[in-house]
Amino acid sequence: MREINRRNKTAALLLVFVLILGALTGCGKERPAANIRVGSLKGPTSMGILFLMDKAERGETENTYEFQMATGADELLPLMVKGELDIALVPANVAAVLYQKTEGGIAVIDINTLGVLNIVTGTSEVESVADLKGRTIYLTGKGTTPEASLKFVLEANGLKETDYTLEFKSEATEVAAILAENPDAVGLLPQPFVTAALMQNDALRTALDMNEEWIRVENERKGGSNGMVTGVTVVRKEFLEEHPEAVKAFLKEHALSVDGINGDAATGAALAVSAGIVAKEPIAERAIPECHITCITGEDMKADLSAYLDVLAGFDESLVGGKVPEDDFYYIR
């Protein structure tokens, strides 16, 4: 009988030892939550993941990642539709179009970039939106989001379409060239083209930050806003359902990456040049604080993004894929 009790005690001790060893092993070895295929564009919308990309390359992230950077959204959309990407960082209106194309198969998990548009000029006569009355504004993107956003702000400030003239150019570099030749001209430019233009011509200045103007309008209209939305991060719902913890980990790592670049523009500039987003580090370093890189999630994300998409739909519903997305477009934990 004593022999049986002794054996039982020994077995129990061995079991406890195995359980403790297993727990210690689990704590000491972090396993990747999932492998995530991420697509993004060569622009401000990708700047917020540069520190994440750098950490992933060194194997210091919870998930493992495969990154793919494209020059146009039209390269990323088919990959998301076919399920060859899991997460993508795209312009806000492109996310709405993708939602329609996939019949609700994607969801927005965060806003990654706020407004990057600026009114640039050399004249001291433009200090407010009202000062744009009677002027010609040079810009790109006829019928697209820059025109829609600009007209929304102008109209909210009491300007009618007959009060100003919009002259469209095919590329931002053309607008910058006009401003270089005639500093009294007025142009609407995105970052980092704004910074490049200012660094090349001391006569130019940022007269109006359109993100700030958007906030001012929305505060008066509905009582609050983080700003004009430029870029968002979307996930395939199928991937989200299969790997909810991996997506949660991505959001945490994305937020840390955003903090990283906003707190260390010099390192961010080097990474931006290495990724082919900006040509020169001095331009990138000066532009990063003006790009409004962020990671807004939850109800704040929904409020800002839905307001922005409503404005675009009011201008032209085709910009959002034919209609404003339903509530399931927004992922709120």
Side-chain angles (χ1 to χ4, degrees), residues 277-296:
I277 297 174
V278 186
K280 298 179 180 179
E281 287 188 28
I283 295 175
E285 185 172 357
R286 185 170 164 182
I288 284 169
E290 308 302 325
C291 287
H292 302 120
I293 302 165
T294 189
C295 183
I296 300 172

Side-chain angles (χ1 to χ4, degrees), residues 10 30 41 52 58 65 94 104 108 153 157 170 195 214 218 270 288 294 296 298 300 306 318 327:
T10 301
E30 295 183 4
L41 298 176
L52 171 56
R58 298 197 303 268
Y65 294 96
V94 171
V108 178
V153 171
N157 281 271
S170 59
T195 297
W214 184 282
E218 289 294 80
I288 284 169
T294 189
I296 300 172
D300 285 347
S306 61
S318 68
D327 284 348

Side-chain angles (χ1 to χ4, degrees), residues 101-170:
K101 284 185 176 292
T102 58
E103 298 181 344
I106 62 104
V108 178
I109 55 177
D110 68 42
I111 294 171
N112 58 54
T113 320
L114 293 171
V116 296
L117 295 172
N118 293 262
I119 292 290
V120 178
T121 184
T123 178
S124 60
E125 296 178 0
V126 177
E127 296 290 346
S128 69
V129 175
D131 295 332
L132 296 173
K133 186 174 182 177
R135 294 190 173 274
T136 296
I137 305 170
Y138 297 90
L139 70 160
T140 61
K142 182 175 177 58
T144 62
T145 55
E147 181 185 3
S149 301
L150 176 62
K151 282 188 171 180
F152 171 73
V153 171
L154 293 176
E155 183 180 336
N157 281 271
L159 273 68
K160 303 184 294 292
E161 288 196 15
T162 53
D163 290 332
Y164 56 87
T165 301
L166 300 184
E167 187 164 326
F168 293 92
K169 300 298 176 182
S170 59

Side-chain angles (χ1 to χ4, degrees), residues 316-328:
D316 182 353
E317 285 190 334
S318 68
L319 289 178
V320 296
K323 60 179 179 179
V324 175
E326 303 292 337
D327 284 348
D328 66 328

Side-chain angles (χ1 to χ4, degrees), residues 51-239:
F51 276 64
L52 171 56
M53 292 171 67
D54 186 53
K55 288 178 68 176
E57 189 174 344
R58 298 197 303 268
E60 297 175 359
T61 53
E62 186 172 343
N63 296 303
T64 59
Y65 294 96
E66 296 175 31
F67 293 99
Q68 180 174 334
M69 202 170 287
T71 55
D74 57 339
E75 297 177 52
L76 298 181
L77 261 65
L79 300 179
M80 286 294 287
V81 171
K82 291 186 290 186
E84 295 177 10
L85 287 175
D86 305 310
I87 286 176
L89 289 78
V90 295
N93 73 299
V94 171
V97 172
L98 185 58
Y99 171 85
Q100 307 296 355
K101 284 185 176 292
T102 58
E103 298 181 344
I106 62 104
V108 178
I109 55 177
D110 68 42
I111 294 171
N112 58 54
T113 320
L114 293 171
V116 296
L117 295 172
N118 293 262
I119 292 290
V120 178
T121 184
T123 178
S124 60
E125 296 178 0
V126 177
E127 296 290 346
S128 69
V129 175
D131 295 332
L132 296 173
K133 186 174 182 177
R135 294 190 173 274
T136 296
I137 305 170
Y138 297 90
L139 70 160
T140 61
K142 182 175 177 58
T144 62
T145 55
E147 181 185 3
S149 301
L150 176 62
K151 282 188 171 180
F152 171 73
V153 171
L154 293 176
E155 183 180 336
N157 281 271
L159 273 68
K160 303 184 294 292
E161 288 196 15
T162 53
D163 290 332
Y164 56 87
T165 301
L166 300 184
E167 187 164 326
F168 293 92
K169 300 298 176 182
S170 59
E171 296 181 2
T173 51
E174 293 183 53
V175 176
I178 291 171
L179 296 174
E181 293 173 7
N182 179 15
D184 285 339
V186 176
L188 181 71
L189 283 171
Q191 290 288 358
F193 290 100
V194 173
T195 297
L198 297 184
M199 292 180 71
Q200 292 167 9
N201 190 342
D202 291 339
L204 296 176
R205 66 187 179 89
T206 297
L208 299 170
D209 182 332
M210 296 303 289
N211 194 62
E212 293 179 4
E213 297 304 325
W214 184 282
I215 291 172
R216 187 174 292 112
V217 169
E218 289 294 80
N219 281 344
E220 294 176 0
R221 193 169 76 104
K222 62 183 185 66
S225 171
N226 287 297
M228 179 190 300
V229 180
T230 292
V232 300
T233 307
V234 300
V235 63
R236 287 190 301 109
K237 286 183 180 176
E238 184 180 1
F239 183 84

